[in-house]
Amino acid sequence: SYVLTQPPSVSVAPGQTARITCGGNNIGSKSVHWYQQKPGQAPVLVVYDDSDRPSGIPERFSGSNSGNTATLTISRVEAGDEADYYCQVWDSSSDHQVFGGGTKLTVL
Amino acid sequence: QVQLVQSGAEVKKPGASVKVSCKASGYTFTGYYMHWVRQAPGQGLEWMGRINPNSGGTNYAQKFQGRVTMTRDTSISTAYMELSRLRSDDTAVYYCARDHPVAGTSLFDYWGQGTLVTVSS
């Protein structure tokens, strides 16, 4: 089955740029989606189809995907961005959904 | 507006079954697949499977094959997830999530509030 690998944690100072990676075999050939989850809340979609943003998501959230790595970039990080972030793809070979293990973003 | 409202928390003994409901509103229930995702305490998201509310067709993650059953009642726009032969490691928050089809992929655009299922003797 397809596996997505994320770093367990990323730390960044307020105002700086956070980059969260999601690794997978030839992930660049798939569409990657990113979710933000704050404690005690359901996940929220922040980036879909590699780099598109749902309405209501700040432009500070962006994404890219190439080769074996997809990246969620959060510019001008704010305290409110502190959360867990998950990448997700649809594995067409099995028609199954796959999540990465999640990355805890800490704003210093 | 789209809303997914799940049933309340459950406490079950090992070996029992649990059935969680997810009532949809604000859209055409039969027009979108519904997925179930769970999250054990302090752990990540785990996809369990999905149901096509129109046909009733299902697709389950291999890990849950034989223990999970997803059904729906279109008359009340509600999806159900039943997990049997519960074990302590099934203790988790269970979410329903609506599928949003995008060309060549699928993702989850709306989520229920989650249902905590605790398995304890």
Side-chain angles (χ1 to χ4, degrees):
Chain A
S1 59
Y2 195 75
V3 175
L4 295 175
T5 302
Q6 297 183 236
S9 62
V10 167
S11 298
V12 64
Q16 299 304 302
T17 297
R19 294 179 179 84
I20 298 171
T21 59
C22 176
N25 184 34
N26 197 27
I27 195 173
S29 67
K30 300 181 182 299
S31 291
V32 180
H33 319 298
W34 292 91
Y35 301 86
Q36 175 194 70
Q37 186 181 35
K38 296 182 178 179
Q41 299 183 18
V44 172
L45 181 69
V46 292
V47 167
Y48 69 96
D49 208 9
D50 297 339
S51 58
D52 290 333
R53 276 185 316 277
S55 61
I57 300 301
E59 290 184 8
R60 301 185 297 105
F61 289 81
S62 62
S64 63
N65 184 17
S66 178
N68 293 316
T69 305
T71 303
L72 173 69
T73 301
I74 309 171
S75 305
R76 303 181 299 282
V77 166
E78 303 173 355
D81 297 331
E82 190 162 281
D84 294 325
Y85 291 84
Y86 296 89
C87 57
Q88 174 251 320
V89 301
W90 173 62
D91 181 15
S92 58
S93 63
S94 61
D95 191 18
H96 285 185
Q97 308 290 343
V98 181
F99 285 102
T103 298
K104 180 175 181 58
L105 175 66
T106 299
V107 181
L108 301 171
Chain B
Q1 73 285 17
V2 174
Q3 280 193 307
L4 302 176
V5 179
Q6 299 184 221
S7 49
E10 303 260 16
V11 179
K12 296 292 183 181
K13 293 192 183 304
S17 297
V18 68
K19 191 171 186 177
V20 180
S21 67
C22 171
K23 182 169 179 58
S25 61
Y27 72 98
T28 302
F29 177 65
T30 52
Y32 299 79
Y33 288 3
M34 190 72 77
H35 299 262
W36 290 90
V37 176
R38 78 176 187 179
Q39 186 171 38
Q43 302 301 308
L45 302 173
E46 182 175 32
W47 182 76
M48 300 180 68
R50 61 102 169 126
I51 184 168
N52 177 343
N54 188 42
S55 68
T58 56
N59 184 5
Y60 302 140
Q62 192 164 5
K63 175 177 179 176
F64 300 101
Q65 288 273 5
R67 278 209 307 146
V68 70
T69 304
M70 296 177 187
T71 57
R72 90 290 189 218
D73 184 338
T74 57
S75 68
I76 56 172
S77 299
T78 300
Y80 302 92
M81 186 285 300
E82 184 170 22
L83 189 62
S84 63
R85 303 193 300 279
L86 290 168
R87 308 183 293 254
S88 57
D89 61 358
D90 290 317
T91 294
V93 175
Y94 290 76
Y95 294 100
C96 58
R98 193 184 79 161
D99 182 273
H100 180 83
V102 175
T105 186
S106 79
L107 54 122
F108 314 111
D109 59 355
Y110 289 93
W111 296 67
Q113 83 275 20
T115 296
L116 175 62
V117 175
T118 302
V119 183
S120 174
S121 54

